[in-house]
Amino acid sequence: MANNTENKEPAKKSNFIHLQIEKDLKEGKNNGRVLTRFPPEPNGYLHIGHAKSICLNFGIAEKFGGKCNLRFDDTNPTKEEMEYVESIEKDVRWLGFDWEDRLFYASDYFQKLHDFAVKLIKEGKAYVDDQSSETISQQKGTPTRPGQESPYRNRTSEENLDLFQRMTAGEFDEGSRVLRAKIDMASPNMHMRDPIIYRILKAHHHRTGDKWCVYPMYDFAHGQSDYWEGITHSICTLEFEVHRPLYDWFIDQLMNSDYRPRQIEFARLNLTYTIMSKRRLLELVKDGHVNGWDDPRMPTITGLRRRGYTPESIRNFSDRIGVTKVDGMIDVSLLEYSVREHLNKTAQRVMGVLNPLKVIITNFPEDQDEILEAVNNPEDESMGKRKVPFSREFYIERDDFMEDPPRKFFRLAPGREVRLRYAYFVTCTDVIKNDKGEITELHCTYDPESKGGNSPDGRKVKATLHWVSAKHAVKSEVRLYDRLFNDEDPAGHKDFDFKEFMNQDSLQVLPECYLEPFVKDAKPLDHFQFERLGYFNLDYDSTPERPVFNRTVPLRDSWAKAQNNK
RNA sequence: UGUCCUGUGGUGUAAUUGGCAACACGUCUGAUUCUGGAUCAGAAGAGUCCAGGUUCGAGCCCUGGCAGGACAACCA
């Protein structure tokens, strides 16, 4: 019986943000409405850290009967591109979330933002500063020392208005002037020291084209976008915590009812042996250290998808790691556990030999083929069975044979009998070597009585080996991936560039692997378990003549672990 | 010598208005098995950063320390 409840996702774990929202709801805030948003900047591909945020924001909407918007934070045309917009939409959908008709862009609000800036100017709360960025930066002071006021701080609103209109009209060069909010140059919070809210950028914007010469800064665009969309809970990462007073300051200037969006910060995801900054990921892509954003070694959503991760496994992972304000580091093995868990229940089993060693059964009829029956997934009977061809010559894994086996090695060895999965018991009789003493072939005998994998006399064998009939084998390329970095925290070393910790052996290509014929019908991204080895999926690079498989993650292997611990 | 945030087993998270620190991953046993997988059963592992205080009772409250992180882009 198939157990349909097994694939159901467990109830979402609660977290401190849920608690705060419950409290807000109880207090009757925002008329009981809950609206969140996922606000990526389209300047790179989404990664597993974004997945955490996506699951959090859409998860909150789901839990509290609200909605979640997708909003592109596209206020910097020099870094943003349509390619990224498209990839982000695709990735969010693939993860299983739907923003319905609520797709927004900060650029939707450029006019309103500009109007708002004009309002601040008229109220004497914003001014045009003609100084260079260096000067402004110097006047800003340091975290421990207050800043100084700009000489342009007290211009009349008429003059400010005129200057800002001319900035908008493109009269001035980039960098020559900015619009600043007039708050407090002595504030202990750096972000309140007259933050820049508009800068001149004569760049082509992916949506508004050449319409604008001035663009709002993040702080000036984000909260206001939240406000205009009616966002109730604006969830962002810890580094924006110090921005919150500024977020609130702008909202204060805007508010005209009881409604107010609230910013709540949580700790971004850090994974061991992984980098999670778009800047660094871009560097890996641009400098060719990986083969693009969707390289299966990348922690990007597109990379994980290509690697063979499933949306369910990523969602489960997100739920398992929880949400807090503690800046921690999650072990990648937890991510791997999550895919294994899902794929174990869902992946089609198949046999494949990665490092082939030929075996000939000397007492098996020369031209005889047999068709054996194999279970598609022992965890899910409803997936049925399949036929697997068997013949006199086949391949086994080189690792499954040892000429001089140590005590705890259960697999094939001279004179030893093992089971070929779903096939026969075989006993190794001869080891054939070449001039160099390398093993090239094994001779075995088989017990015809053990067809299917069990001997009528009830005798036991200690190992079951996977195999692929030589004449029926589908020759494939298999790509094995290892972690991209050797260091737990590659970006955490002040004196070393993260690239110095790159694992030179993170990609291993095996050009000659043999798989059972069943895989011939596979489509890109189809998941398989190669029995006893791991989970694999078909790569986009496959051709009908030459399938290419990626190893998503190996199976847990207590034998290999015992060897490593020696 | 500022502001803000954080500090619970190896890792990540829990702990109703204070009530003998729970769960997951990992680790280690054992059972079972035609995947050395999966599954099942069990064990070890923290006394909650430190020091005081309030209380019958504190991981939760108070005081003072200590440690770590964020903030000085015309990035987000």
Side-chain angles (χ1 to χ4, degrees):
Chain A
M1 274 288 111
N3 188 345
N4 294 324
T5 59
E6 272 190 22
N7 291 334
K8 210 158 69 181
E9 289 177 43
K12 294 278 177 292
K13 246 173 33 179
S14 190
N15 60 55
F16 82 101
I17 297 179
H18 293 320
L19 258 32
Q20 293 191 22
I21 293 175
E22 271 164 27
K23 190 162 170 263
D24 287 347
L25 254 21
K26 201 171 290 176
E27 289 171 4
K29 284 189 184 159
N30 305 318
N31 299 315
R33 213 164 44 78
V34 173
L35 216 212
T36 55
R37 100 272 91 113
F38 173 62
E41 181 188 11
N43 68 342
Y45 279 64
L46 259 27
H47 54 62
I48 182 76
H50 294 107
K52 176 182 180 183
S53 173
I54 293 165
C55 292
L56 212 210
N57 279 293
F58 281 92
I60 285 169
E62 206 174 305
K63 174 163 182 162
F64 295 98
K67 301 283 186 193
C68 180
N69 295 355
L70 175 61
R71 181 173 72 231
F72 288 100
D73 229 327
D74 56 350
T75 56
N76 185 355
T78 65
K79 289 185 177 169
E80 296 149 8
E81 294 171 24
M82 274 314 286
E83 177 195 350
Y84 298 132
V85 170
E86 285 158 10
S87 73
I88 289 168
E89 289 190 39
K90 180 179 175 183
D91 289 346
V92 176
R93 274 207 193 88
W94 178 77
L95 279 172
F97 299 102
D98 185 6
W99 56 89
E100 299 170 322
D101 57 348
R102 298 177 313 283
L103 172 63
F104 301 108
Y105 296 81
S107 54
D108 292 340
Y109 312 117
F110 279 174
Q111 187 59 55
K112 286 175 97 167
L113 252 4
H114 193 271
D115 294 346
F116 181 44
V118 167
K119 172 181 136 83
L120 291 181
I121 293 171
K122 285 181 178 162
E123 292 172 357
K125 290 170 180 165
Y127 63 95
V128 173
D129 196 330
D130 300 357
Q131 302 180 107
S132 68
S133 66
E134 297 76 46
T135 309
I136 290 176
S137 156
Q138 276 164 20
Q139 287 170 351
K140 206 135 200 179
T142 69
T144 55
R145 203 159 26 81
Q148 288 141 31
E149 297 187 351
S150 162
Y152 299 96
R153 196 172 199 262
N154 294 312
R155 291 218 246 228
T156 63
S157 54
E158 289 70 30
E159 190 182 359
N160 282 319
L161 223 39
D162 173 63
L163 254 13
F164 187 50
Q165 301 298 14
R166 289 162 64 194
M167 280 168 65
T168 306
E171 270 187 46
F172 307 124
D173 291 337
E174 279 188 21
S176 63
R177 282 181 174 80
V178 290
L179 184 69
R180 295 225 256 168
K182 191 173 179 177
I183 306 179
D184 177 10
M185 286 308 290
S187 170
N189 183 332
M190 297 289 292
H191 297 278
M192 300 299 274
R193 323 240 262 228
D194 290 10
I196 292 168
I197 59 181
Y198 262 97
R199 77 287 214 188
I200 299 169
L201 246 31
K202 296 189 172 168
H204 187 83
H205 187 279
H206 68 102
R207 293 190 72 239
T208 60
D210 298 313
K211 181 178 178 192
W212 295 94
C213 294
V214 290
Y215 290 90
M217 299 288 289
Y218 163 84
D219 284 307
F220 192 66
H222 199 91
Q224 285 78 298
S225 301
D226 284 345
Y227 184 82
W228 289 319
E229 280 172 29
I231 300 302
T232 56
H233 300 270
S234 182
I235 293 153
C236 62
T237 44
L238 250 29
E239 66 270 27
F240 293 103
E241 206 152 23
V242 276
H243 293 238
R244 186 160 12 115
L246 183 55
Y247 180 100
D248 288 335
W249 191 88
F250 288 128
I251 296 296
D252 286 340
Q253 314 305 313
L254 228 36
M255 264 181 82
N256 59 4
S257 71
D258 286 346
Y259 157 67
R260 156 185 278 278
R262 197 232 289 209
Q263 177 179 307
I264 302 174
E265 310 83 13
F266 72 99
R268 62 155 18 104
L269 170 65
N270 294 306
L271 271 186
T272 54
Y273 303 101
T274 309
I275 53 163
M276 211 72 94
S277 91
K278 280 198 271 187
R279 195 205 92 218
R280 292 195 179 91
L281 292 173
L282 177 64
E283 194 178 333
L284 291 182
V285 172
K286 285 241 159 99
D287 297 349
H289 293 102
V290 295
N291 304 313
W293 288 99
D294 68 345
D295 187 301
R297 292 167 294 179
M298 291 281 273
T300 50
I301 303 300
T302 185
L304 291 168
R305 175 168 57 228
R306 189 173 179 183
R307 173 81 170 254
Y309 276 74
T310 58
E312 290 89 336
S313 64
I314 293 174
R315 279 187 254 127
N316 283 155
F317 170 74
S318 294
D319 194 52
R320 228 183 298 261
I321 59 178
V323 179
T324 62
K325 301 189 72 156
V326 185
D327 198 11
M329 175 86 78
I330 308 266
D331 199 322
V332 256
S333 64
L334 191 61
L335 217 210
E336 295 175 344
Y337 168 83
S338 296
V339 235
R340 285 199 194 96
E341 177 190 51
H342 184 231
L343 258 16
N344 175 46
K345 290 177 187 155
T346 57
Q348 166 75 43
R349 265 61 167 179
V350 106
M351 289 194 284
V353 174
L354 267 33
N355 294 300
L357 173 59
K358 190 168 222 177
V359 181
I360 297 176
I361 305 184
T362 50
N363 61 339
F364 195 87
E366 296 254 356
D367 296 316
Q368 182 174 317
D369 285 359
E370 284 195 29
I371 301 296
L372 276 4
E373 199 169 59
V375 173
N376 285 332
N377 186 343
E379 305 291 322
D380 182 356
E381 227 178 275
S382 72
M383 287 179 71
K385 296 184 174 168
R386 70 184 185 283
K387 309 286 187 202
V388 185
F390 182 75
S391 61
R392 182 179 148 99
E393 296 188 12
F394 56 90
Y395 298 102
I396 65 166
E397 213 65 61
R398 282 202 105 87
D399 287 352
D400 283 341
F401 176 80
M402 277 186 108
E403 197 172 14
D404 187 16
R407 190 193 307 280
K408 291 213 167 170
F409 184 83
F410 302 148
R411 283 107 97 149
L412 198 60
R416 186 182 290 176
E417 183 173 53
V418 298
R419 170 168 41 230
L420 295 176
R421 178 146 235 224
Y422 300 123
Y424 291 100
F425 282 14
V426 294
T427 305
C428 177
T429 54
D430 290 288
V431 180
I432 316 298
K433 298 179 182 176
N434 63 15
D435 305 344
K436 286 183 268 182
E438 297 162 339
I439 300 171
T440 54
E441 203 173 284
L442 257 29
H443 286 2
C444 290
T445 56
Y446 85 121
D447 174 5
E449 295 297 303
S450 63
K451 182 170 181 176
N454 283 303
S455 167
D457 65 11
R459 72 181 189 278
K460 301 275 185 201
V461 287
K462 293 200 86 170
T464 299
L465 269 39
H466 60 276
W467 51 272
V468 172
S469 167
K471 79 164 86 147
H472 305 278
V474 175
K475 194 167 149 186
S476 308
E477 175 178 317
V478 173
R479 298 172 182 169
L480 304 181
Y481 303 101
D482 197 357
R483 45 184 58 134
L484 246 191
F485 297 93
N486 289 316
D487 189 87
E488 273 212 352
D489 186 12
H493 302 269
K494 285 193 178 71
D495 303 324
F496 297 95
D497 185 76
F498 73 99
K499 294 191 295 304
E500 294 189 31
F501 300 100
M502 288 197 77
N503 175 8
Q504 298 309 314
D505 304 313
S506 58
L507 170 63
Q508 193 188 346
V509 178
L510 305 177
E512 262 192 62
C513 304
Y514 297 105
L515 309 178
E516 66 167 88
F518 187 88
V519 301
K520 268 191 280 199
D521 299 326
K523 292 173 195 58
L525 260 34
D526 279 355
H527 305 281
F528 295 93
Q529 183 195 96
F530 290 2
E531 293 217 31
R532 303 210 305 134
L533 297 176
Y535 296 99
F536 295 77
N537 76 343
L538 191 69
D539 192 82
Y540 309 127
D541 287 349
S542 295
T543 61
E545 301 74 40
R546 186 178 188 73
V548 176
F549 283 87
N550 297 309
R551 183 174 68 190
T552 308
V553 63
L555 246 34
R556 282 183 64 200
D557 186 345
S558 52
W559 165 248
K561 191 163 67 179
Q563 298 307 294
N564 289 334
N565 287 345
K566 278 183 177 172

